Amino acid sequence: SAVISQKPSRDICQRGTSLTIQCQVDSQVTMMFWYRQQPGQSLTLIATANQGSEATYESGFVIDKFPISRPNLTFSTLTVSNMSPEDSSIYLCSGGLAGINEQFFGPGTRLTVL
Amino acid sequence: GDSVTQMEGPVTLSEEAFLTINCTYTATGYPSLFWYVQYPGEGLQLLLKATKADDKGSNKGFEATYRKETTSFHLEKGSVQVSDSAVYFCALSDLDDSWGKLQFGAGTQVVVTP
């Protein structure tokens, strides 16, 4: 298994600003993902974070709004840019190992945009 | 595309009652199936999984059997406790189609009263 931590755990931000969320895994994982969970809703995949190359975004999510980095196999960041109240959500990262179809989730970052 | 449908909540039960949460799926390949649990204010934890037809996943008294003929993965527990109050998510991942990406159901909130 893998233990995943996220920073910050929560934040309150002003409209128009940006926030970068960090995700750290305690062991090397093949795949890392970023999800959004809007209030009272299920999880929606934002993108797959690829090491050393651009992330792969799902329909409805774009790099300009959610730039993602993954400089190595254990670390990734998600930035929520030019925030609006509609971006208020929990953002979760997850990691998975090749050959083991299982993902481990971080505790999430609870973002409130005023 | 792949999708997961699970019964709507909230489901309210008395302690020691029997719990069933229905989950059905559609997938083009042969997915792995998962149940995740989210306790209040926390991230997601993997509860159990099954990777092929007729597999039974089990953990903490919960069970679910992968039924390919009915495309279902219903979650059951024979005697719930107040500590089982949480939101439960059914999910699938199709290795052949999109490695590791999880497709989640809408989630079912379970409330267990003393």
Side-chain angles (χ1 to χ4, degrees), chain B residues 76-114:
Chain B
E76 297 181 337
K77 185 174 184 181
S79 177
V80 294
Q81 305 300 312
V82 173
S83 57
D84 294 323
S85 298
V87 180
Y88 294 81
F89 293 94
C90 185
L92 70 79
S93 176
D94 192 339
L95 273 173
D96 293 334
D97 181 36
S98 52
W99 191 98
K101 285 198 287 188
L102 283 168
Q103 180 73 42
F104 284 91
T108 302
Q109 183 179 11
V110 172
V111 178
V112 181
T113 58

